[in-house]
Amino acid sequence: MTDPNAIQPSELDQLPDRDPEETAEWQASLDAVTQAAGPHRAAYLMRRTLERAEGAGVVLPKLLETDYVNSIPTAAEPTVTGDEAMEARITAWNRWNAAAMVTRGSKYGVGGHIATFASAAWLYETGFNHFFHGKEGDGSGDQLYIQGHASPGIYARAFLDGRLTEQHLDNFRQEAGGNGLPSYPHPRRLPWLWEFPTVSMGLGPISAIYQARFNRYLTSRGIKDVSDSHVWAFLGDGEMDEPESTTALTLASREGLDNLTFVINCNLQRLDGPVRANFKIVQELEALFRGAGWHVIKTLWGSAWDELFALDTTGALVRRLREVPDAQIQTYQTRDAAYIRQDFFGADPALAEMAKLLSDDKITECFHFSRGGHEARKVFAAYKAALEHKGAPTVILAQTVKGHTLGTGFASKNANHQMKKLSVDEFKQMRDLLELPIADSAFADGQVPYGHPGADSPEVRYLQERRAALGGPAPARRVHPVAPLPAPADKAFAAFDKGSGSQNVATTMAFVRLVKDLVRDKETGKRWVPIVPDEARTFGMESLFPSLGIYSPKGQTYEPVDRDQLMYYKEAKNGQILNEGITEAGSMADFIAASSSYSTHGEAMIPFYIFYSMFGWQRTADQMWQLGDQLGRGFLVGATAGRTTLTGEGLQHADGHSPVIAATNPAALSYDPAFAYEVATIVKEGLRRMYGQAEPGEDQDVFYYLTVYNEPLPQPAKPSAPAIDEGIVKGLYRFNTAESAGLTVPANAPRIQLLGSGTAIHWALNAQRMLAEEWGVAADVWSATSWGELRRDAMEADAALLRGEERVPYVRRALQGAEGPVLAVSDYMRQVPDQIAQWIEQDYTSLGADGFGLSDTRDAARRHFGVDAQSIVAAALAQLARRGEVKASAVKEAREKYGL
């Protein structure tokens, strides 16, 4: 009977065999080995053959997994350059002080993490001693993404080399009084030390990839040669579960980012327990990275295992290591030799025989302590191999023990992530294990002391000499003394002052036209970094393709299908546009790298990232918080904004809340401009504030969020009112009055103030006309360019009053003397304009588009949400009726007239 699963001849015909006889001989050889030596030997030979083929350049599918052993054999390890004994003493001091810092702070209940750095100490120390380049040498140095929970170890090293004091360590996680240390890498809180925020899990990996890519971008465009910079990202194996951790792996391999190394601390534990209790996380990650095109180095076992591998003549040990799940490896860490003999070695007769040759001490040493990530020689070999590998990024999978050297109460315990302190007795055990000269008398009143060998000790001198040779302290953040960028010529901005005449122009198009002019500026044009997630044509940016080019490290290896057209698709090695495909997370990572280039590389770049407003803050607000922490500067542009402006797309595209989310970010200056000249004025001010000459006390470390619309409308000329630019920047100015709009209203007519932002101002202007012509009501229309900035200013005024300073909020001053009630309207939920309600002296109410969006025409959607011109008229009449300024019947009449 024919096997239905067997490969049929018709299938084999798809791969023609030029020599069937030779093929049969290879297959027969494999069968013979399988029968004579077993399937494990056959598998071994097949793996070695595939490895040989790959090394010879034979194109074959990748071998995704290798055995659960070190990639670099002991015999192939290079000699460590340096004093290993001295580095061990330095590491011991840093282990001690990291644990002491968290333990001392535990009495205040501020928390902290001890076990992570204990597992990763050699991963960091080896890099600091031999590989990580600082910022005081040539170039920009290396960029280090430190695992957030390991921060105590980094502080301990900074204490040892004199950059921090005991007072700093005692203020770990206690920042309010000054001289405090933030819990994790926070540049905004400790801007001279930390460069990159990483503790929001998953953001470190994607940020590191795009930083490495941005380094290539800067070099390719001739802005600055940073080809000597290497990006190191230290990650946890549990952290790799986050989608952001793996979403850009193929970008790194596709573009050959060999300036990037991931170091994944595989201590096999996440916050609550094993990372892959019933499986093997190292093998899973190896397959993932190899499949994505990365070079993989496994550093799993320490030198104590060499004897065991030498005894493994049958391959039984390697097979057993591959089949034991991670949770059982953790159990071996906490059990005695007898248990390990029975459970691990007793599973195979060959292993049982091997175990007879091993002492209990040898078994305990291997299973309790000897991991590749705990030996400087193993880590040094991995780092050196990573830097020498060219053509692809490298990931180092370093196996460690979480809580290593902290004693049996910590090592590999499921709860060690939540364990915040060691007892005095445990510290004394740790002291003896690390051979530190700390006397029992130093533990005064039960308080664990900090340890320091002395500022002129051999350890400190060695540490500082090594750092000097590598270009200075690390990690370190430097804001280079860069002169302010010259302001672009006023012509680019003034072009919008005259309006669009009879032409209808959407504010999205106005922004794109402005940028198109600004990138032509001789002084600053090359510093613009346009970023778009595969929506450039949606936003009318295709005209930038041929003039600026889309960045690609390969250039353009094909003839574009639209080459004969004026706006053809052009890729170039020095292209200026970063078109990232459909990835908002990747685009934000691009933006963050570009926005902090002024500090990372001493080169101020001006990124603008334009996106569907619905898919910005809602989808990547975590990265926008990271951006604020990293002190980034630039322009985020939420295009096709508003809940009723984007016709047809519906609920998941209709943004009615992004300004609400933006208001939660202290570094975000959120604007909702209505007119093209407002867009130009805001961008001009943003360039001055972030890149030009800052005013005294002005925070330059901000970023701008502009919402722009895809609704083509007439763009009016810029009014000649005094201080209009100030009003646009501060968030509110009077656009017109009923009289200046040419409307006829009775003397002493009831008056109302209509505040509108973005596209809603057009509905307010229609309502202004209807109120005058149909109801005899005078309405003044105000453009509220930023509800958020009005609120920020008002809150600062409140804080000043508490300090005894007299200060009136700008919004109150702007509306001072304005007659009648105030009605605010926007294309967002009412919470957006209601941000200013408590500071309005007049009667105040608002209209907004609350609820989920829907697909329909703009007019129908606005009627549905009650924000169209007719709804504004009815709401205005209702306000005036409550004040007795119009008849109550007018409200009912208006509703009936307009079919509300």
Side-chain angles (χ1 to χ4, degrees):
M1 184 174 179
T2 304
D3 181 359
N5 295 316
I7 297 177
Q8 303 303 312
S10 60
E11 293 175 88
L12 291 174
D13 290 343
Q14 300 299 313
L15 296 171
D17 191 342
R18 294 185 301 177
D19 193 340
E21 184 176 349
E22 181 183 36
T23 303
E25 290 174 357
W26 276 77
Q27 292 171 336
S29 298
L30 181 63
D31 292 342
V33 171
T34 303
Q35 293 170 5
H40 300 299
R41 177 61 181 171
Y44 175 86
L45 291 175
M46 288 300 298
R47 286 197 298 271
R48 289 293 177 265
T49 302
L50 287 171
E51 290 170 359
R52 182 62 175 263
E54 184 177 347
V58 178
V59 180
L60 287 170
K62 294 274 186 189
L63 183 67
L64 295 185
E65 282 189 38
T66 60
D67 285 323
Y68 202 64
V69 297
N70 294 347
S71 302
I72 303 172
T74 301
E77 292 171 4
T79 302
V80 178
T81 56
D83 188 331
E84 292 185 64
M86 180 68 73
E87 292 175 17
R89 292 202 297 274
I90 291 171
T91 303
W93 284 116
N94 291 338
R95 286 183 181 277
W96 177 273
N97 288 322
M101 178 195 324
V102 177
T103 297
R104 286 167 68 118
S106 66
K107 64 183 179 182
Y108 301 110
V110 295
H113 301 286
I114 299 179
T116 296
F117 178 73
S119 68
W122 276 115
L123 303 180
Y124 291 106
E125 292 297 325
T126 303
F128 285 130
N129 288 327
H130 299 284
F131 294 97
F132 303 157
H133 289 91
K135 295 182 175 297
E136 295 176 1
D138 295 334
S140 301
D142 291 347
Q143 288 82 56
L144 308 180
Y145 288 77
I146 305 295
Q147 192 178 2
H149 293 149
S151 64
I154 309 304
Y155 290 140
R157 194 171 217 275
F159 169 65
L160 200 65
D161 74 6
R163 293 200 290 166
L164 294 176
T165 66
E166 285 194 15
Q167 183 185 10
H168 286 112
L169 301 193
D170 269 344
N171 285 333
F172 175 60
R173 292 194 169 195
Q174 299 174 70
E175 300 177 76
N179 288 322
L181 298 180
S183 52
Y184 304 122
H186 293 307
R188 187 168 284 275
R189 291 300 183 205
L190 201 62
W192 60 268
L193 182 73
W194 298 119
E195 275 197 288
F196 309 110
T198 55
V199 82
S200 189
M201 297 289 99
L203 298 192
I206 190 173
S207 295
I209 289 172
Y210 279 89
Q211 181 65 57
R213 196 283 196 91
F214 188 74
N215 289 355
R216 290 280 175 86
Y217 171 87
L218 282 181
T219 301
S220 296
R221 290 197 53 220
I223 302 293
K224 182 179 182 179
D225 185 355
V226 295
S227 53
D228 289 337
S229 289
H230 198 84
V231 178
W232 300 83
F234 289 84
L235 317 168
D237 47 1
E239 181 179 3
M240 299 309 295
D241 286 345
E242 287 284 4
E244 293 86 354
S245 296
T246 57
T247 188
L249 296 184
T250 53
L251 167 71
S253 60
R254 183 169 66 246
E255 299 201 359
L257 298 182
D258 51 23
N259 60 338
L260 170 67
T261 298
F262 275 15
V263 181
I264 302 182
N265 179 16
C266 297
N267 56 35
L268 313 186
Q269 285 185 251
R270 53 189 178 199
L271 306 189
D272 287 333
V275 179
R276 292 289 183 273
N278 297 296
F279 307 93
K280 301 190 78 65
I281 186 61
V282 169
Q283 299 299 94
E284 180 180 322
L285 291 176
E286 178 184 27
L288 173 69
F289 278 90
R290 283 187 185 275
W294 286 53
H295 177 226
V296 179
I297 299 174
K298 293 199 291 193
T299 302
L300 307 181
W301 307 110
S303 55
W305 283 82
D306 290 348
E307 180 182 342
L308 276 67
F309 288 124
L311 293 172
D312 185 28
T313 57
T314 65
L317 176 62
V318 173
R319 291 197 300 272
R320 181 66 176 144
L321 287 173
R322 287 198 66 179
E323 70 187 24
V324 175
D326 284 352
Q328 192 63 23
I329 293 286
Q330 299 297 80
T331 298
Y332 295 147
Q333 176 70 35
T334 64
R335 300 300 179 89
D336 59 17
Y339 177 88
I340 299 171
R341 283 182 187 277
Q342 178 181 351
D343 191 87
F344 181 84
F345 292 97
D348 186 293
L351 289 180
E353 289 299 312
M354 179 192 297
K356 294 177 181 178
L357 304 175
L358 304 173
S359 67
D360 285 355
D361 287 345
K362 182 66 175 180
I363 290 175
T364 301
E365 180 187 12
C366 287
F367 283 85
H368 285 197
F369 304 109
S370 187
R371 300 290 187 273
H374 295 324
E375 294 189 13
R377 284 175 175 262
K378 306 289 186 186
V379 177
F380 183 93
Y383 287 5
K384 188 172 186 293
L387 291 179
E388 291 174 351
H389 185 81
K390 301 302 177 185
T394 295
V395 60
I396 297 169
L397 304 175
Q399 187 163 264
T400 66
V401 174
K402 193 167 185 177
H404 183 60
T405 73
L406 298 180
T408 57
F410 262 85
S412 291
K413 293 297 177 67
N414 281 341
N416 62 19
H417 187 78
Q418 281 71 36
M419 297 163 70
K420 311 300 181 188
K421 60 182 178 180
L422 279 69
S423 67
V424 170
D425 287 342
E426 287 172 327
F427 266 110
K428 290 180 179 178
Q429 293 171 11
M430 182 181 177
R431 171 201 62 189
D432 296 341
L433 176 66
L434 297 176
E435 299 180 348
L436 291 172
I438 299 174
D440 284 353
S441 59
F443 293 84
D445 301 321
Q447 175 85 298
V448 57
Y450 294 120
H452 201 293
D456 197 39
S457 64
E459 292 91 338
V460 173
R461 288 201 305 271
Y462 180 89
L463 181 155
Q464 293 175 341
E465 287 168 1
R466 292 303 309 142
R467 290 311 316 156
L470 288 166
R477 180 178 180 272
R478 296 283 186 270
V479 178
H480 303 262
V482 178
L485 295 182
D490 278 341
K491 181 181 178 181
F493 305 104
F496 297 89
D497 289 353
K498 61 184 179 182
S500 62
S502 60
Q503 182 184 9
N504 290 339
V505 176
T507 50
T508 296
M509 182 54 66
F511 177 83
V512 172
R513 288 182 183 176
L514 173 62
V515 170
K516 191 174 181 180
D517 288 339
L518 292 175
V519 295
R520 295 194 184 110
D521 185 83
K522 292 182 179 180
E523 295 290 334
T524 60
K526 66 179 182 180
R527 298 192 176 273
W528 283 86
V529 183
I531 303 168
V532 61
D534 202 33
E535 291 279 8
R537 298 182 192 277
T538 301
F539 308 136
M541 292 175 60
E542 64 268 32
S543 61
L544 298 178
F545 289 168
S547 57
L548 300 185
I550 300 166
Y551 170 72
S552 171
K554 286 185 174 293
Q556 194 154 42
T557 61
Y558 59 91
E559 182 178 356
V561 67
D562 54 359
R563 184 62 182 87
D564 58 341
Q565 298 178 16
L566 181 63
M567 293 182 286
Y568 69 96
Y569 197 82
K570 176 185 176 183
E571 297 187 77
K573 290 182 180 179
N574 63 346
Q576 194 164 347
I577 300 169
L578 293 173
N579 192 328
E580 293 308 342
I582 305 175
T583 168
E584 283 80 13
S587 300
M588 268 306 302
D590 256 338
F591 186 89
I592 291 170
S595 72
S596 52
S597 178
Y598 73 93
S599 61
T600 307
H601 294 301
E603 294 288 345
M605 304 299 288
I606 311 171
F608 81 85
Y609 164 35
I610 187 167
F611 49 88
Y612 264 83
S613 64
M614 187 66 161
F615 307 142
W617 288 89
Q618 176 168 297
R619 186 168 288 185
T620 58
D622 194 13
Q623 287 178 288
M624 291 164 178
W625 193 264
Q626 177 192 11
L627 167 64
D629 192 349
Q630 199 164 313
L631 308 170
R633 304 169 184 173
F635 296 95
L636 297 176
V637 183
T640 60
R643 181 143 282 163
T644 70
T645 308
L646 187 59
T647 57
E649 296 287 0
L651 185 148
Q652 286 191 287
H653 286 66
D655 170 28
H657 53 277
S658 67
V660 177
I661 308 175
T664 66
N665 192 311
L669 278 60
S670 178
Y671 285 87
D672 186 26
F675 305 125
Y677 67 79
E678 292 178 352
V679 172
T681 302
I682 294 164
V683 171
K684 181 179 180 180
E685 169 62 11
L687 290 172
R688 182 206 64 79
R689 178 166 178 174
M690 295 185 291
Y691 301 97
Q693 189 63 52
E695 296 177 359
E698 190 172 47
D699 185 5
Q700 284 190 284
D701 298 322
V702 296
F703 60 93
Y704 282 67
Y705 175 55
L706 280 71
T707 47
V708 292
Y709 299 82
N710 71 328
E711 184 175 13
L713 291 164
Q715 295 297 327
K718 186 176 184 179
S720 58
I724 187 171
D725 284 359
E726 178 189 22
I728 293 172
V729 170
K730 287 186 175 294
L732 183 68
Y733 70 95
R734 182 153 46 196
F735 176 73
N736 70 12
T737 64
E739 291 78 8
S740 66
L743 300 172
T744 301
V745 291
N748 300 317
R751 188 171 291 271
I752 189 169
Q753 309 299 318
L754 302 180
L755 278 57
S757 69
T759 197
I761 202 169
H762 297 279
W763 322 330
L765 289 169
N766 287 338
Q768 178 191 47
R769 177 185 53 78
M770 294 167 66
L771 283 166
E773 295 177 355
E774 300 176 25
W775 304 97
V777 172
D780 299 341
V781 175
W782 298 70
S783 180
T785 54
S786 178
W787 309 102
E789 285 306 288
L790 292 174
R791 176 177 175 81
R792 194 193 305 264
D793 171 81
M795 292 175 65
E796 290 172 356
D798 285 354
L801 286 173
L802 291 176
R803 297 191 301 266
E805 303 172 18
E806 286 295 328
R807 182 173 164 190
V808 179
Y810 172 81
V811 66
R812 187 172 296 167
R813 285 188 283 118
L815 289 170
Q816 188 173 12
E819 298 178 32
V822 172
L823 174 60
V825 60
S826 79
D827 203 14
Y828 298 92
M829 56 197 300
R830 289 179 63 181
Q831 190 174 339
V832 174
D834 284 353
Q835 291 180 82
I836 66 171
Q838 72 185 81
W839 292 281
I840 304 298
E841 293 183 317
Q842 294 89 341
D843 292 339
Y844 180 89
T845 192
S846 63
L847 297 175
D850 286 75
F852 288 113
L854 75 167
S855 298
D856 213 312
T857 64
R858 290 179 180 130
D859 289 343
R862 288 160 188 170
R863 174 57 57 90
H864 170 80
F865 287 110
V867 292
D868 59 354
Q870 291 85 349
S871 298
I872 295 173
V873 169
L877 293 174
Q879 271 188 287
L880 293 169
R882 285 194 295 271
R883 295 161 58 92
E885 297 182 22
V886 299
K887 294 178 180 179
S889 59
V891 181
K892 181 180 179 182
E893 184 182 346
R895 289 174 182 150
E896 293 174 349
K897 179 176 181 178
Y898 302 134
L900 299 177

Short mmCIF file of all heavy atoms in Angstrom, two decimals, residues 827-848:
data_model
loop_
_atom_site.label_atom_id
_atom_site.label_comp_id
_atom_site.label_asym_id
_atom_site.label_seq_id
_atom_site.Cartn_x
_atom_site.Cartn_y
_atom_site.Cartn_z
N ASP A 827 -13.08 69.17 17.12
CA ASP A 827 -13.42 67.89 16.49
C ASP A 827 -12.97 66.73 17.38
O ASP A 827 -12.77 65.62 16.89
CB ASP A 827 -12.76 67.79 15.12
CG ASP A 827 -13.49 66.80 14.20
OD1 ASP A 827 -14.62 66.42 14.53
OD2 ASP A 827 -12.92 66.42 13.16
N TYR A 828 -12.82 67.02 18.65
CA TYR A 828 -12.39 66.02 19.62
C TYR A 828 -13.41 65.91 20.74
O TYR A 828 -14.35 66.71 20.84
CB TYR A 828 -11.00 66.37 20.18
CG TYR A 828 -9.95 66.40 19.11
CD1 TYR A 828 -9.63 67.58 18.45
CD2 TYR A 828 -9.32 65.23 18.72
CE1 TYR A 828 -8.70 67.59 17.43
CE2 TYR A 828 -8.38 65.23 17.70
CZ TYR A 828 -8.08 66.41 17.06
OH TYR A 828 -7.16 66.42 16.04
N MET A 829 -13.22 64.97 21.61
CA MET A 829 -14.11 64.83 22.74
C MET A 829 -14.08 66.09 23.61
O MET A 829 -13.09 66.84 23.61
CB MET A 829 -13.72 63.59 23.57
CG MET A 829 -12.29 63.60 24.04
SD MET A 829 -11.72 61.95 24.58
CE MET A 829 -12.87 61.60 25.90
N ARG A 830 -15.16 66.35 24.32
CA ARG A 830 -15.30 67.61 25.07
C ARG A 830 -14.18 67.78 26.09
O ARG A 830 -13.87 68.91 26.48
CB ARG A 830 -16.65 67.65 25.77
CG ARG A 830 -17.82 67.84 24.80
CD ARG A 830 -19.14 67.84 25.53
NE ARG A 830 -19.26 68.93 26.48
CZ ARG A 830 -20.32 69.13 27.26
NH1 ARG A 830 -21.35 68.29 27.19
NH2 ARG A 830 -20.37 70.16 28.09
N GLN A 831 -13.58 66.69 26.51
CA GLN A 831 -12.50 66.78 27.49
C GLN A 831 -11.35 67.63 26.98
O GLN A 831 -10.60 68.20 27.76
CB GLN A 831 -12.00 65.38 27.83
CG GLN A 831 -11.04 65.30 29.00
CD GLN A 831 -10.73 63.87 29.37
OE1 GLN A 831 -11.48 62.96 29.04
NE2 GLN A 831 -9.62 63.67 30.05
N VAL A 832 -11.19 67.73 25.65
CA VAL A 832 -10.09 68.52 25.09
C VAL A 832 -10.30 70.02 25.36
O VAL A 832 -9.45 70.65 26.01
CB VAL A 832 -9.91 68.22 23.60
CG1 VAL A 832 -8.86 69.15 22.99
CG2 VAL A 832 -9.50 66.77 23.39
N PRO A 833 -11.39 70.64 24.92
CA PRO A 833 -11.57 72.06 25.25
C PRO A 833 -11.86 72.30 26.73
O PRO A 833 -11.58 73.39 27.26
CB PRO A 833 -12.75 72.48 24.38
CG PRO A 833 -13.48 71.23 24.05
CD PRO A 833 -12.44 70.16 23.97
N ASP A 834 -12.40 71.29 27.42
CA ASP A 834 -12.71 71.47 28.84
C ASP A 834 -11.47 71.56 29.71
O ASP A 834 -11.58 71.84 30.91
CB ASP A 834 -13.61 70.33 29.33
CG ASP A 834 -15.04 70.50 28.87
OD1 ASP A 834 -15.37 71.55 28.30
OD2 ASP A 834 -15.84 69.55 29.07
N GLN A 835 -10.29 71.36 29.12
CA GLN A 835 -9.04 71.52 29.89
C GLN A 835 -8.91 72.92 30.49
O GLN A 835 -8.25 73.09 31.51
CB GLN A 835 -7.83 71.26 28.99
CG GLN A 835 -7.66 69.83 28.53
CD GLN A 835 -6.43 69.69 27.65
OE1 GLN A 835 -5.31 69.58 28.12
NE2 GLN A 835 -6.64 69.72 26.34
N ILE A 836 -9.55 73.92 29.86
CA ILE A 836 -9.36 75.30 30.31
C ILE A 836 -10.55 75.82 31.11
O ILE A 836 -10.55 76.97 31.56
CB ILE A 836 -9.10 76.23 29.12
CG1 ILE A 836 -10.35 76.32 28.23
CG2 ILE A 836 -7.88 75.79 28.33
CD1 ILE A 836 -10.26 77.39 27.15
N ALA A 837 -11.56 74.99 31.32
CA ALA A 837 -12.84 75.48 31.85
C ALA A 837 -12.70 76.22 33.17
O ALA A 837 -13.32 77.26 33.39
CB ALA A 837 -13.82 74.31 32.00
N GLN A 838 -11.88 75.70 34.08
CA GLN A 838 -11.84 76.28 35.43
C GLN A 838 -11.19 77.66 35.47
O GLN A 838 -11.33 78.37 36.47
CB GLN A 838 -11.12 75.33 36.39
CG GLN A 838 -9.61 75.25 36.19
CD GLN A 838 -8.98 74.21 37.10
OE1 GLN A 838 -9.00 73.02 36.82
NE2 GLN A 838 -8.44 74.66 38.21
N TRP A 839 -10.52 78.05 34.38
CA TRP A 839 -9.88 79.36 34.39
C TRP A 839 -10.66 80.41 33.57
O TRP A 839 -10.18 81.52 33.39
CB TRP A 839 -8.46 79.23 33.84
CG TRP A 839 -7.58 78.45 34.77
CD1 TRP A 839 -6.98 78.90 35.92
CD2 TRP A 839 -7.21 77.07 34.63
NE1 TRP A 839 -6.27 77.89 36.52
CE2 TRP A 839 -6.39 76.74 35.75
CE3 TRP A 839 -7.48 76.08 33.71
CZ2 TRP A 839 -5.85 75.48 35.94
CZ3 TRP A 839 -6.95 74.82 33.89
CH2 TRP A 839 -6.14 74.53 34.98
N ILE A 840 -11.84 80.04 33.08
CA ILE A 840 -12.66 80.97 32.31
C ILE A 840 -13.62 81.69 33.25
O ILE A 840 -14.40 81.05 33.96
CB ILE A 840 -13.45 80.23 31.21
CG1 ILE A 840 -12.51 79.43 30.31
CG2 ILE A 840 -14.28 81.22 30.40
CD1 ILE A 840 -11.52 80.27 29.55
N GLU A 841 -13.57 83.01 33.28
CA GLU A 841 -14.43 83.77 34.17
C GLU A 841 -15.87 83.85 33.64
O GLU A 841 -16.81 83.94 34.41
CB GLU A 841 -13.86 85.19 34.36
CG GLU A 841 -12.55 85.20 35.12
CD GLU A 841 -12.04 86.60 35.37
OE1 GLU A 841 -12.10 87.42 34.41
OE2 GLU A 841 -11.58 86.87 36.49
N GLN A 842 -16.04 83.83 32.33
CA GLN A 842 -17.37 83.88 31.75
C GLN A 842 -18.08 82.52 31.92
O GLN A 842 -17.44 81.51 32.23
CB GLN A 842 -17.29 84.23 30.26
CG GLN A 842 -16.76 85.63 29.96
CD GLN A 842 -15.24 85.67 29.83
OE1 GLN A 842 -14.55 84.77 30.28
NE2 GLN A 842 -14.72 86.74 29.24
N ASP A 843 -19.40 82.53 31.70
CA ASP A 843 -20.12 81.26 31.63
C ASP A 843 -19.51 80.42 30.51
O ASP A 843 -19.29 80.92 29.40
CB ASP A 843 -21.60 81.50 31.33
CG ASP A 843 -22.32 82.19 32.48
OD1 ASP A 843 -21.81 82.12 33.62
OD2 ASP A 843 -23.39 82.78 32.24
N TYR A 844 -19.28 79.14 30.79
CA TYR A 844 -18.51 78.32 29.84
C TYR A 844 -19.24 77.01 29.58
O TYR A 844 -19.75 76.36 30.50
CB TYR A 844 -17.13 78.01 30.40
CG TYR A 844 -16.24 77.17 29.50
CD1 TYR A 844 -15.42 77.77 28.55
CD2 TYR A 844 -16.24 75.78 29.58
CE1 TYR A 844 -14.61 77.01 27.71
CE2 TYR A 844 -15.44 75.00 28.74
CZ TYR A 844 -14.62 75.63 27.82
OH TYR A 844 -13.82 74.88 26.99
N THR A 845 -19.28 76.62 28.34
CA THR A 845 -19.72 75.27 27.98
C THR A 845 -18.98 74.86 26.72
O THR A 845 -18.26 75.66 26.11
CB THR A 845 -21.24 75.20 27.77
OG1 THR A 845 -21.63 73.83 27.70
CG2 THR A 845 -21.65 75.91 26.49
N SER A 846 -19.14 73.58 26.34
CA SER A 846 -18.36 73.08 25.21
C SER A 846 -19.16 72.07 24.41
O SER A 846 -20.15 71.50 24.89
CB SER A 846 -17.07 72.41 25.71
OG SER A 846 -17.38 71.27 26.51
N LEU A 847 -18.74 71.88 23.19
CA LEU A 847 -19.26 70.83 22.31
C LEU A 847 -18.09 70.00 21.84
O LEU A 847 -16.98 70.51 21.65
CB LEU A 847 -19.98 71.44 21.10
CG LEU A 847 -21.23 72.28 21.36
CD1 LEU A 847 -21.72 72.90 20.06
CD2 LEU A 847 -22.31 71.45 22.03
N GLY A 848 -18.33 68.71 21.63
CA GLY A 848 -17.25 67.84 21.17
C GLY A 848 -17.80 66.56 20.59
O GLY A 848 -18.99 66.25 20.67
#
